[in-house]
Amino acid sequence: MRLARRTSTILQRRLSSSASRSVAVTGASGYIGSYVCAELLERGYSVRAMVRGSSSNPDKGAHLTALPGGRLTLVDGDLECQPSLVAAFAGADAVIH
């Protein structure tokens, strides 16, 4: 909980001047990543959720697209592929990895 509060404080400082407040999350379909996405949506952020193989297997991100908030964009990406990182992080004000 302490780390979550500290991360939240850092994120709020970094995004305080941003109008769009968009955050990219790597590993979004994982256990921790999905909770990070849910928390960001609850706090009003737009989320770019990076999920490897989501374009070929939409079920991998189904639990994320079902989250309330409607501000989540699922992005297919791989950490070892630079062009997919560029696409995933495009328009994001911050990245959580």
Side-chain angles (χ1 to χ4, degrees):
M1 191 60 139
R2 193 170 164 191
L3 178 61
R5 268 187 258 130
R6 183 169 183 258
T7 302
S8 174
T9 303
I10 292 169
L11 198 57
Q12 285 173 358
R13 271 191 238 136
R14 295 206 183 242
L15 297 178
S16 63
S17 63
S18 170
S20 63
R21 299 175 49 189
S22 177
V23 180
V25 179
T26 64
S29 63
Y31 182 78
I32 295 171
S34 57
Y35 277 97
V36 169
C37 289
E39 184 67 25
L40 288 167
L41 290 169
E42 187 176 309
R43 292 176 184 233
Y45 294 95
S46 294
V47 176
R48 296 185 56 77
M50 190 170 122
V51 178
R52 183 177 48 201
S54 62
S55 61
S56 60
N57 184 0
D59 291 339
K60 288 183 89 171
H63 65 291
L64 295 170
T65 56
L67 290 171
R71 294 175 313 281
L72 184 133
T73 303
L74 206 57
V75 182
D76 193 349
D78 185 340
L79 291 175
E80 295 182 3
C81 177
Q82 185 176 0
S84 73
L85 294 175
V86 171
F89 300 159
D93 299 305
V95 176
I96 296 178
H97 171 68

